[in-house]
Amino acid sequence: MILVGIDVAKDKHDCCIINSDEEFPEEVFSILNNREGYETLYKRICSLAVDFTKVKVGLESTGHYSSNLLAFLLDKHLTAYVRVNLFHKGQSLRRTKTDKIDSRNIAHLLMADSSLKPYSLSSYHMEELKSLTRYRGTKVRERTKLKTSIARLVTILFPELEQLVSSIHIHSIYAMLEKFPGSAYIAAAHLTRLTALLLKASRGRFGRETAIRIRDTARRSIGAVSPAKSMELQ
């Protein structure tokens, strides 16, 4: 069995290749974090093993730094193990940190611990789902923050608007506020232009009557005239 331990870093990865039958001594070397470096590692493995079912590659997981290398190994049909570092916290490795010692310990761990599970296609999909979930969560929080900011600005610039529509957070109202960011701008708007904007943005839901009601209310509004806040709203 050929065992490859890889300590992952930003710019380079330190690797150690050992043989479970001790047919050759431990080989420790570094590769750059680029295509040429990956190919160098692959050629080293190929020079030692014909049957990839007898090759195990362990990566010390360091977040996104290991993603590209892991994808390369899987594309080459090599069996990979990740997050190996979780299993050797008890060693003195972290107290006497050297990457070459790390890579050697990871390689030995592959040989010693038969309970380790390889990184599979389902693991890949799980990581992708986690990534998408985190991304969605970030976007939802951003949207909530923006909606709160818009509501605050509308309260300052045109507080009566919320009483005229079911919600200010709809496409037609956003379109209107983008063009006319405040009661002063809406009050001065040409009725034909305001009507056409609302009619198009609401897909026919809001027409001339709504435009008249909004403009008339804007002309009586207590909303502040603040170019800075209007620009922020836009």
Side-chain angles (χ1 to χ4, degrees), residues 7-224:
D7 186 67
V8 177
K10 180 181 179 181
D11 299 317
K12 68 179 181 65
H13 309 312
D14 290 292
C15 311
C16 176
I17 301 179
I18 65 175
N19 184 285
S20 59
D21 297 324
E22 300 183 354
E23 294 174 357
F24 53 83
E26 297 176 353
E27 183 181 4
V28 181
F29 58 95
S30 297
I31 61 170
L32 293 176
N33 186 27
N34 55 29
R35 172 67 65 175
E36 289 73 19
Y38 294 0
E39 291 292 348
T40 296
L41 173 61
Y42 180 66
K43 289 176 182 178
R44 293 253 191 149
I45 295 173
C46 290
S47 69
L48 299 171
V50 177
D51 184 1
F52 280 179
T53 64
K54 297 186 180 301
V55 177
K56 290 183 178 181
V57 184
L59 287 75
E60 182 185 25
S61 178
T62 51
H64 58 280
Y65 292 144
S66 60
S67 297
N68 293 334
L69 178 56
L70 178 60
F72 175 84
L73 295 171
L74 295 177
D75 187 58
K76 295 296 185 180
H77 305 290
L78 288 162
T79 303
Y81 299 77
V82 296
R83 295 193 178 90
V84 179
N85 58 311
L86 295 179
F87 296 91
H88 62 258
K89 285 183 177 179
Q91 300 181 21
S92 60
L93 176 78
R94 292 301 171 192
R95 292 192 294 273
T96 57
K97 165 70 173 174
T98 67
D99 291 337
K100 291 184 178 181
I101 291 177
D102 270 7
S103 62
R104 184 179 291 115
N105 280 338
I106 292 171
H108 280 285
L109 177 66
L110 290 173
M111 179 167 54
D113 193 341
S114 60
S115 66
L116 293 177
K117 295 182 179 180
Y119 190 90
S120 63
L121 188 59
S122 61
S123 301
Y124 166 79
H125 289 309
M126 186 63 69
E127 289 297 325
E128 288 290 286
L129 286 172
K130 287 180 181 178
S131 179
L132 288 172
T133 300
R134 287 192 296 268
Y135 178 74
R136 181 184 183 278
T138 298
K139 291 305 173 183
V140 168
R141 289 190 293 273
E142 288 178 359
R143 182 182 64 181
T144 300
K145 185 176 179 180
L146 284 170
K147 290 174 73 172
T148 300
S149 180
I150 289 170
R152 174 182 63 84
L153 291 167
V154 169
T155 299
I156 296 170
L157 299 168
F158 191 5
E160 300 85 356
L161 180 60
E162 289 188 287
Q163 305 302 317
L164 301 176
V165 292
S166 59
S167 172
I168 62 171
H169 302 294
I170 55 179
H171 179 67
S172 53
I173 299 304
Y174 279 0
M176 180 186 72
L177 293 174
E178 183 180 5
K179 295 294 183 182
F180 306 107
S183 57
Y185 295 92
I186 296 172
H190 194 286
L191 183 59
T192 301
R193 184 184 178 193
L194 182 60
T195 300
L197 186 154
L198 288 171
L199 191 65
K200 180 180 179 180
S202 68
R203 297 183 179 181
R205 180 184 175 190
F206 296 146
R208 182 179 175 84
E209 290 184 5
T210 301
I212 292 173
R213 186 165 67 254
I214 290 176
R215 191 179 70 165
D216 287 348
T217 303
R219 288 176 173 177
R220 302 189 303 272
S221 176
I222 59 170

